[in-house]
Amino acid sequence: MCGFAGWVDFGRDLTGLREQVEAMGATLACRGPDQCGLWVGPHAVLAHRRLVVRDLHGGQQPMVCDRHGRRYVIVHNGEIYNSDEIRAELANRGWVFRGYSDTEALLAAYVEWGPACLERLTGIFAFAIWDETSHRLFMARDRLGVKPLFYAEREGGLLFGSELKALLAHPLVPPEVDADGLAEVLVMGPARTPGHGVFRGVHELKPGCWLSFEPDLPAGSSGPVREPRGRLVCRRYWALESRPHPDDLPTTVATVRRLLEDSVRRQLAADVPIGTLLSGGLDSSGVSALAARAYRERALPPLRTFSVDYEDNERHFRSSEFQPDADGPWVERVSTWLGTVHRRVVIDAEALVEALDQAVVARDLPGMADIDASLLLFAREVKREATVVLSGEGADEVFGGYPWFWREEDLRADTFPWTRRLDARLGLLAPDVTEAIRPQLYLERRYREALEEVPVLAGGSPDQARLREIAYLSLTRFGPTLLDRKDRMTMAVGLAARLPYCDHRLVEYVWNVPWSMKACDGRAKGLLRRALAGVLPDDVLARRKSPYPKTHHPAYTAGVRRRLQEVLADPASPLLPLIDVRAVRALVESEGRALDVPWWGQLMMGPQMMAYLVQLDTWLRRYRVSLRIR
């Protein structure tokens, strides 16, 4: 788990501009606190920051490979979980390796097979490879987009980096936002549209895609680079495919169990302290149970587990449709059952309010308010005892655990089911902003684009087709928000998070399992519950879904209310031209109760809206955002 940045330009000599790429890489120091490296060539400069997880004394990047008279340079972020198998296959083809770094195996795989190497990879990754001989840049991102990668074409060249802040550190990428970018922030909320970089001319490499950038030479030409401009090509190498499911229920349950066990075992490979994040819910408890079992089989010391809670939560917790019960007792139940060495991290309201600004910098955008900030504080404490953690993200998307899979009004609604109360949010915006971004039309356009991607299965009923649409939207539009959050908040403190439910082999298999099997026994994630039978206690298997916890402490609401009042009282605030100040004041005076149902996702209500507006103000100020929406 690392961070990288780079600049490729065929029209200028970059050797004298290395400092600009060094500055880009420096913004990613939190992602790679252990080592830094820079590779400089006439037309490419690559910077890398490394978090050491495997092959402690090898694997330094940028890594260079000379093969058959050609030179290749790689920068890589992520983990290739099947690198041992790839290395063995390449050894049979004559390759000799210096160590056991997955980056070395990845670079050799590309040299041997080219872009086709992507089909062989199991893992989470984003990487860039520079072919110095042919002057070709190749970049790729993992299938579900667990690891980030952004790019921007500027003056015929290409800038790229693991996070937006790396690009914004370059003088050719000013922090300008147009109407579409502002709509992403104000309408889509934390759920950015795949491929959209928010800032003008900045793009995200979409999950399951690769990109090449090479000189745009006339057909039939050869020899040295003469044309200053580059030609960019993007291709998708992976997508979900719909086909009939051939297995019966017992076979399906067994296959899910086998795939999940294999995913967990592979992701436990590390040369540094490792643990799991445990909420006491089905998803994280299943990962922790399979990890603990693997530890016992290897005669290793007990597994470390970590949970998060909030000051006085037992006193202030209020049950709701989305949070039926508190996590604390369930965490203790599972940890005791598994015999883990457990640490409970408790966050107080004041620290949570203060961390809202830190979370904006970690994500480079306004995000999920205290849901982000609490994870950042949690990860900071976990990092004191572990460098790698396994987490339960992805299970609800893969197995259909969200409420919108079950509520008729959500299934019938012709929009993203997590984008609630758009009308209430629009009432907080200045009328001229609403006119400029046209929010209803923007949301409708993004929704229709997503539906057009859904791989149709012939012969299904309308109800089955709708559930497939909801599953696709959850996997490709809602899920990436949580993956993005997990990556940014953990890597902001140098903690590497691995996600067993996001193994593409498991995702591909479960995608085509019919809903009747996914919801077997009449339960949300019934298939996963059956697959984990015997691994977890029966009461944990039966526990209702409870999302990542949020604080119910009134001190938090008071804190974000105070912060927003300070923003409203500052005539220099860049937020004020975007909002209807009178409407926002009314929200503040109601202490957020004017939004009494989630306006996004499951947990973001009135206090989170106030916090989101605070984060928006922080983002506009700190990033010196220039709006170009007229």
Side-chain angles (χ1 to χ4, degrees):
M1 307 294 186
C2 307
F4 63 82
W7 186 11
V8 171
D9 196 305
F10 305 116
R12 69 183 91 194
D13 185 347
L14 298 181
T15 55
L17 299 170
R18 57 181 291 164
E19 293 83 4
Q20 294 182 11
V21 180
E22 283 183 306
M24 295 171 69
T27 67
L28 305 172
C30 60
R31 298 185 69 92
D34 299 326
Q35 294 175 350
C36 64
L38 188 74
W39 185 90
V40 181
H43 296 295
V45 182
L46 307 178
H48 189 264
R49 301 292 308 213
R50 187 183 183 204
L51 175 67
V52 177
V53 172
R54 296 199 70 192
D55 196 359
L56 303 185
H57 303 294
Q60 292 88 348
Q61 299 182 50
M63 185 178 291
V64 179
C65 171
D66 293 302
R67 186 81 168 179
H68 303 312
R70 302 172 71 95
R71 169 162 290 187
Y72 304 85
V73 189
I74 187 173
V75 283
H76 168 222
N77 167 32
E79 298 287 343
I80 308 301
Y81 300 130
N82 64 334
S83 61
D84 289 346
E85 292 96 320
I86 291 173
R87 190 179 296 105
E89 183 175 358
L90 288 167
N92 290 332
R93 301 172 73 95
W95 283 83
V96 177
F97 294 93
R98 294 168 294 180
Y100 58 95
S101 160
D102 62 342
T103 301
E104 187 180 14
L106 172 58
L107 179 55
Y110 176 79
V111 174
E112 185 73 21
W113 296 302
C117 73
L118 296 168
E119 301 170 8
R120 301 170 181 261
L121 303 181
T122 297
I124 54 177
F125 54 83
F127 65 86
I129 295 176
W130 171 247
D131 183 337
E132 174 71 359
T133 307
S134 66
H135 294 89
R136 182 176 191 251
L137 176 73
F138 180 84
M139 301 199 301
R141 194 169 175 217
D142 65 73
R143 295 167 178 85
L144 295 185
V146 176
K147 306 310 290 183
L149 183 53
F150 296 89
Y151 66 93
E153 288 188 90
R154 289 294 189 275
E155 298 183 359
L158 188 75
L159 295 155
F160 55 92
S162 296
E163 296 184 6
L164 287 167
K165 59 174 62 70
L167 295 180
L168 294 171
H170 196 284
L172 290 179
V173 186
E176 296 176 345
V177 173
D178 60 17
D180 268 14
L182 189 59
E184 284 290 315
V185 172
L186 297 179
V187 179
M188 307 306 290
R192 285 186 298 103
T193 301
H196 205 298
V198 177
F199 295 94
R200 288 182 69 183
V202 175
H203 306 279
E204 175 190 53
L205 184 60
K206 291 182 181 180
C209 290
W210 61 257
L211 173 157
S212 70
F213 188 72
E214 55 193 330
D216 189 10
L217 297 174
S221 65
S222 61
V225 176
R226 300 181 186 278
E227 174 62 44
R229 302 194 64 85
R231 179 169 60 90
L232 187 147
V233 175
C234 283
R235 293 285 185 271
R236 178 170 293 281
Y237 70 88
W238 181 85
L240 289 167
E241 297 180 3
S242 293
R243 59 175 66 92
H245 183 66
D247 298 337
D248 60 15
L249 181 56
T251 303
T252 300
V253 170
T255 302
V256 168
R257 172 77 165 265
R258 174 179 57 79
L259 289 171
L260 186 55
E261 286 178 334
D262 184 70
S263 179
V264 170
R265 288 176 185 274
R266 288 179 182 275
Q267 296 187 30
L268 287 172
D271 296 334
V272 292
I274 193 169
T276 66
L277 304 185
L278 177 63
S279 71
L282 176 69
D283 308 338
S284 66
S285 298
V287 168
S288 297
L290 293 175
R293 174 175 292 185
Y295 266 47
R296 289 193 298 270
E297 292 173 354
R298 300 175 189 175
L300 295 173
L303 178 73
R304 294 181 178 92
T305 54
F306 304 88
S307 65
V308 64
D309 209 340
Y310 300 91
E311 184 181 33
D312 294 332
N313 202 38
E314 66 280 357
R315 183 154 58 96
H316 296 291
F317 179 84
R318 295 291 182 270
S319 178
S320 70
E321 175 188 2
F322 300 101
Q323 285 187 294
D325 51 18
D327 285 340
W330 291 99
V331 170
E332 183 177 355
R333 169 85 168 105
V334 175
S335 175
T336 301
W337 171 274
L338 298 178
T340 69
V341 176
H342 186 74
R343 181 183 173 195
R344 175 174 172 256
V345 175
V346 179
I347 299 172
D348 67 68
E350 182 179 354
L352 192 57
V353 174
E354 291 177 356
L356 288 171
D357 293 348
Q358 302 167 42
V360 171
V361 175
R363 199 191 269 261
D364 292 320
L365 293 165
M368 296 177 70
D370 57 281
I371 315 300
D372 279 359
S374 59
L375 179 57
L376 177 63
L377 295 174
F378 180 31
R380 183 172 292 154
E381 291 303 309
V382 172
K383 174 65 176 178
R384 299 179 187 274
E385 299 180 29
T387 301
V388 176
V389 289
L390 273 62
S391 187
E393 273 82 0
D396 286 313
E397 290 83 359
V398 174
F399 291 95
Y402 290 119
W404 45 77
F405 283 93
W406 297 84
R407 288 194 301 241
E408 281 299 320
E409 61 268 31
D410 286 333
L411 293 172
R412 291 195 302 267
D414 197 20
T415 189
F416 297 113
W418 53 85
T419 305
R420 296 163 171 264
R421 297 295 299 274
L422 180 61
D423 54 341
R425 282 192 280 154
L426 297 185
L428 300 176
L429 301 181
D432 59 333
V433 171
T434 301
E435 182 180 353
I437 66 175
R438 306 178 73 185
Q440 293 96 339
L441 291 177
Y442 191 84
L443 181 64
E444 171 75 7
R445 172 159 62 95
R446 294 308 189 190
Y447 177 65
R448 295 300 166 196
E449 288 172 353
L451 287 185
E452 289 174 1
E453 299 174 7
V454 179
V456 176
L457 181 64
S461 69
D463 288 345
Q464 292 170 338
R466 181 55 178 166
L467 283 166
R468 186 171 291 265
E469 288 179 346
I470 294 294
Y472 187 86
L473 296 176
S474 298
L475 278 165
T476 66
R477 297 305 191 271
F478 187 80
T481 307
L482 305 186
L483 301 184
D484 190 59
R485 165 180 170 265
K486 180 66 73 170
D487 175 84
R488 298 303 197 286
M489 300 306 132
T490 55
M491 293 304 292
V493 298
L495 179 68
R498 297 174 175 176
L499 313 175
Y501 292 108
C502 292
D503 187 303
H504 77 276
R505 301 166 302 163
L506 178 65
V507 174
E508 287 175 342
Y509 182 78
V510 178
W511 168 252
N512 284 306
V513 172
W515 180 251
S516 60
M517 289 189 186
K518 290 180 183 177
C520 62
D521 304 319
R523 297 295 307 276
K525 295 187 289 193
L527 175 58
L528 180 59
R529 297 177 198 275
R530 282 205 184 191
L532 293 173
V535 176
L536 292 171
D538 289 345
D539 55 343
V540 177
L541 284 174
R543 186 189 177 196
R544 281 183 58 195
K545 172 179 170 53
S546 189
Y548 181 89
K550 70 174 183 179
T551 181
H552 296 263
H553 203 301
Y556 172 73
T557 300
V560 295
R561 182 172 181 262
R562 182 179 63 255
R563 285 285 309 273
L564 188 52
Q565 285 174 325
E566 293 170 356
V567 170
L568 294 174
D570 180 4
S573 166
L575 176 68
L576 299 186
L578 300 181
I579 61 173
D580 183 326
V581 174
R582 183 177 300 178
V584 173
R585 287 192 190 281
L587 177 68
V588 170
E589 290 168 4
S590 76
E591 297 184 335
R593 285 189 290 270
L595 276 173
D596 57 355
V597 297
W599 55 270
W600 189 88
Q602 305 167 81
L603 298 177
M604 298 185 71
M605 299 174 69
Q608 285 69 41
M609 174 54 76
M610 291 192 292
Y612 189 80
L613 292 172
V614 169
Q615 286 195 315
L616 180 56
D617 179 78
T618 298
W619 176 65
L620 292 166
R621 290 178 192 260
R622 292 207 176 184
Y623 286 74
R624 299 181 179 180
V625 175
S626 175
L627 297 178
R628 300 285 186 266
I629 62 174
R630 299 295 186 268

